[in-house]
Amino acid sequence: MKRQGPSTRDRILTAANTLFYNEGIRATSVDAIAEKAGITKKTLYYHFPSKDNLVASYLESRDQPNLEIFAQWFDACDGTVADKVAAIFTGVGKGARHPKWKGCGFQRTVAELANMPGHPAVLVGARHKKKFEAWLTVKFTEAGIDNPADIARHIVVLMEGTFAILLMHRDADYADAAAVAARQLVTAAMVR
């Protein structure tokens, strides 16, 4: 039986993921993606009617894997909900120590498209961040924290600042500092 490889669409998304993440949205041409995927530009446009559509699909393909890794770090940590939230920041710091780490793909994409607030990828990025916030709200509600949505929003703000400062300074110790701040913030909310 002949084994099937990835679909053409999946090959395009894999190529786009690599190039968009490593080089940026505007610096990556559709020609480069088609070449890396081993297809023609016409085939690429058959699967993705525009580069804008491809950029949005690139972020959509990163949505669940990113949320799942945050949940894994949270669930793998023993301790209080505050410890578990701090573990997410610690995980981000470990990732940032890898030489190929280039920041949050969602944040970098939205920054590149800041002058286009209605761009489909900006909307995907915003939905992704809202999903993380909603997930945190559920976790905080389950832990009996007062004002869980407010605390979740504070953690999201801290996370976005962490991604930005990590990208700016390339110093993962900032993620460790953010882990301490997150733990303190959630602990304070737990004792009210």
Side-chain angles (χ1 to χ4, degrees):
M1 177 182 258
K2 189 174 180 180
R3 192 168 189 206
Q4 268 190 301
S7 70
T8 301
R9 181 180 172 79
D10 288 343
R11 287 194 348 254
I12 296 166
L13 278 174
T14 298
N17 255 288
T18 300
L19 292 171
F20 286 154
Y21 185 74
N22 289 329
E23 306 301 327
I25 302 303
R26 292 200 167 126
T28 301
S29 69
V30 171
D31 289 323
I33 295 167
E35 182 180 328
K36 185 159 186 69
I39 59 164
T40 65
K41 194 158 73 168
K42 182 179 179 181
T43 300
L44 186 146
Y45 281 124
Y46 172 79
H47 291 278
F48 300 94
S50 68
K51 184 177 178 183
D52 290 343
N53 180 267
L54 179 56
V55 174
S57 294
Y58 148 71
L59 286 186
E60 286 171 352
S61 75
R62 297 177 74 89
D63 178 59
Q64 282 307 306
N66 283 20
L67 294 172
E68 287 169 8
I69 194 71
F70 282 7
Q72 287 173 15
W73 292 332
F74 183 93
D75 292 339
C77 179
D78 292 327
T80 67
V81 70
D83 297 322
K84 291 174 174 290
V85 170
I88 297 171
F89 287 87
T90 301
V92 168
K94 286 180 184 172
R97 286 178 171 86
H98 192 281
K100 291 185 178 181
W101 188 83
K102 299 213 182 217
C104 172
F106 294 91
Q107 194 178 77
R108 286 179 52 220
T109 298
V110 171
E112 278 197 65
L113 302 171
N115 64 333
M116 303 168 68
H119 190 285
V122 171
L123 302 176
V124 170
R127 278 193 307 269
H128 171 76
K129 299 301 181 173
K130 283 292 193 181
K131 284 181 191 177
F132 179 56
E133 186 175 337
W135 176 80
L136 284 171
T137 300
V138 168
K139 294 300 180 185
F140 294 155
T141 300
E142 291 171 353
I145 290 177
D146 287 336
N147 302 314
D150 290 343
I151 302 303
R153 179 149 301 174
H154 297 313
I155 295 298
V156 168
V157 169
L158 183 60
M159 180 62 75
E160 292 311 300
T162 301
F163 279 130
I165 202 75
L166 286 172
L167 192 59
M168 186 179 300
H169 291 297
R170 303 294 177 162
D171 180 354
D173 289 346
Y174 283 98
D176 298 334
V180 171
R183 181 181 283 112
Q184 290 172 347
L185 179 69
V186 176
T187 298
M190 290 167 58
V191 296
R192 289 181 184 176

